[in-house]
Amino acid sequence: MADPSIQTFCCHKPRMGNPSVSLMSEFNSTTYNIVCLVSSILGCLGAIYQMLPRTDKSLSRRWFSLTSQRGRQIVVWLALADFLASLGVSMRSIVKLNNPMTTIWDEKEIIFCTILAAWIEYFYMVTWVWTLLYAVDTWLAFCQRHGYPKLYHTVAWIIPALLTTVGLTLLYFPNADCHNYGTSLRDTTFIRLLPNYVLMYTVIAAVMVLAPCFYIASARNADSLVSSCLGQVTNKERSVVQAIRIRFALTVGMFAICWTPNLVNGIIIWCTWGNLSVSVLLGLWYFMAVINPLQAFFNSIVYRRANTKIDFQFNVRLTDETTPLLPANINT
């Protein structure tokens, strides 16, 4: 699970009257962390599968591929971030299984917990940005325009770092006492908890809104691009265009399935704070524990090319993939 709610559990032990106590005890439970560990391991395997070097099984119809040279490399960077995020979840689960921190909040344990929280939040945020950039680059490709690889990397790695730093700095400093607040306006929970929620959920919501817009614009250009490349549109070409549109829908749908529960979780928490529905939140958190780390596994399916095979000899021939649709190299 990758959610701002988890970051607050790295803080010092709250007063027993705090509504988060019962939720925190479940977060430290063996069952919950086993679920996180299994799903994160599957996520790591899916990311590794994506990063394996590939070659084309045939040279036919590569003009309609959305993961040729530049698109393929975007997917690899997305997979790398997915792997590191899932690795962070698995490490956190292993630590919790061996030391659930149910009785003593040691300063060293809190520091280690915050480092893992920052690691997970940062790399998942990177995956969200790469997901959006893939949609942007797909649109540019259908417009027969070059990509902007240096800008992509700047946006994908720097912006999440800034957002993570701001959100967690406001949460953990000047002390890691996230739960025990007074009643004055300046001491309210919103001052330290809300910014991290807003920053994370804004990125998720932006991808959910903007990525479909770029894919819709790309789909509108698909017919004309196929006609200009082949000089004709037969039933076979129409089926290819339809397959591209289905792929766009699956990509958007996969992201929505993985991260909509997080948005719902945030709405529930901030609308019912002080009277949290523990049973509802726990059910939602277990679902998030399964679905969030599986993003990498789902990505290995929706971003997979049907006309490629894994090259176990690690003989990557990326320079062979030049097509009318994606003529530019992401490293240029």
Side-chain angles (χ1 to χ4, degrees):
M1 173 177 169
D3 191 82
S5 306
I6 297 297
Q7 275 72 314
T8 66
F9 292 167
C10 293
C11 298
H12 291 289
K13 188 174 182 179
R15 292 186 293 264
M16 293 308 295
N18 193 289
S20 64
V21 173
S22 58
L23 292 173
M24 186 179 296
S25 63
E26 185 63 30
F27 171 70
N28 289 313
S29 70
T30 300
T31 303
Y32 181 86
N33 284 285
I34 288 177
V35 171
C36 289
L37 181 60
V38 172
S39 59
S40 62
I41 290 175
L42 290 175
C44 288
L45 294 176
I48 292 172
Y49 176 78
Q50 283 182 278
M51 290 187 289
L52 291 175
R54 299 175 186 276
T55 56
D56 280 339
K57 291 187 294 186
S58 66
L59 298 178
S60 61
R61 294 217 199 166
R62 290 190 299 165
W63 53 266
F64 72 86
S65 175
L66 297 181
T67 52
S68 60
Q69 189 169 1
R70 81 193 212 189
R72 165 65 184 161
Q73 294 186 30
I74 291 177
V75 169
V76 169
W77 288 112
L78 170 59
L80 176 62
D82 255 327
F83 173 79
L84 294 173
S86 296
L87 181 64
V89 175
S90 62
M91 291 174 59
R92 184 186 65 196
S93 301
I94 293 172
V95 170
K96 288 287 185 180
L97 288 171
N98 288 277
N99 183 15
M101 295 173 57
T102 55
T103 57
I104 299 176
W105 262 243
D106 182 80
E107 290 293 339
K108 293 182 179 179
E109 292 174 333
I110 292 174
I111 292 174
F112 185 71
C113 181
T114 57
I115 291 174
L116 277 180
W119 176 284
I120 295 168
E121 178 175 329
Y122 170 70
F123 283 110
Y124 269 120
M125 201 173 291
V126 170
T127 67
W128 304 335
V129 176
W130 273 121
T131 299
L132 179 58
L133 291 174
Y134 185 87
V136 172
D137 192 71
T138 298
W139 172 70
L140 290 173
F142 273 104
C143 293
Q144 302 185 66
R145 295 168 58 184
H146 292 277
Y148 302 92
K150 293 182 179 179
L151 179 60
Y152 294 164
H153 282 282
T154 301
V155 171
W157 302 107
I158 302 300
I159 290 182
L162 294 175
L163 296 180
T164 301
T165 301
V166 171
L168 296 186
T169 298
L170 293 174
L171 179 64
Y172 294 132
F173 291 97
N175 56 69
D177 198 13
C178 301
H179 302 279
N180 302 322
Y181 295 103
T183 56
S184 64
L185 179 61
R186 66 179 181 178
D187 201 25
T188 182
T189 58
F190 287 91
I191 294 178
R192 291 176 67 175
L193 299 184
L194 186 59
N196 198 43
Y197 276 84
V198 172
L199 292 174
M200 285 190 70
Y201 291 158
T202 298
V203 179
I204 295 175
V207 177
M208 287 185 177
V209 172
L210 295 178
C213 294
F214 282 107
Y215 283 134
I216 290 173
S218 299
R220 290 176 177 173
N221 293 329
D223 288 323
S224 59
L225 186 59
V226 171
S227 299
S228 63
C229 289
L230 301 181
Q232 61 179 343
V233 178
T234 65
N235 289 334
K236 186 174 291 186
E237 278 64 49
R238 291 190 185 96
S239 66
V240 169
V241 173
Q242 183 63 25
I244 293 175
R245 292 173 176 170
I246 293 174
R247 185 174 183 179
F248 289 163
L250 289 176
T251 303
V252 172
M254 180 278 301
F255 188 87
I257 291 173
C258 288
W259 299 108
T260 297
N262 296 64
L263 298 179
V264 174
N265 171 71
I267 294 173
I268 292 176
I269 287 179
W270 291 103
C271 290
T272 62
W273 184 261
N275 187 27
L276 296 176
S277 176
V278 175
S279 59
V280 173
L281 285 176
L282 286 181
L284 190 60
W285 284 10
Y286 269 94
F287 182 68
M288 291 159 60
V290 174
I291 208 71
N292 287 174
L294 286 180
Q295 173 183 247
F297 180 81
F298 294 144
N299 280 345
S300 67
I301 299 174
V302 299
Y303 289 107
R304 184 180 66 85
R305 286 182 59 185
N307 62 327
T308 60
K309 65 177 180 179
I310 298 173
D311 188 352
F312 289 103
Q313 297 179 349
F314 294 91
N315 181 22
V316 186
R317 295 184 294 273
L318 290 176
T319 55
D320 291 340
E321 292 202 35
T322 54
T323 71
L325 178 57
L326 299 174
N329 191 310
I330 192 172
N331 292 321
T332 60

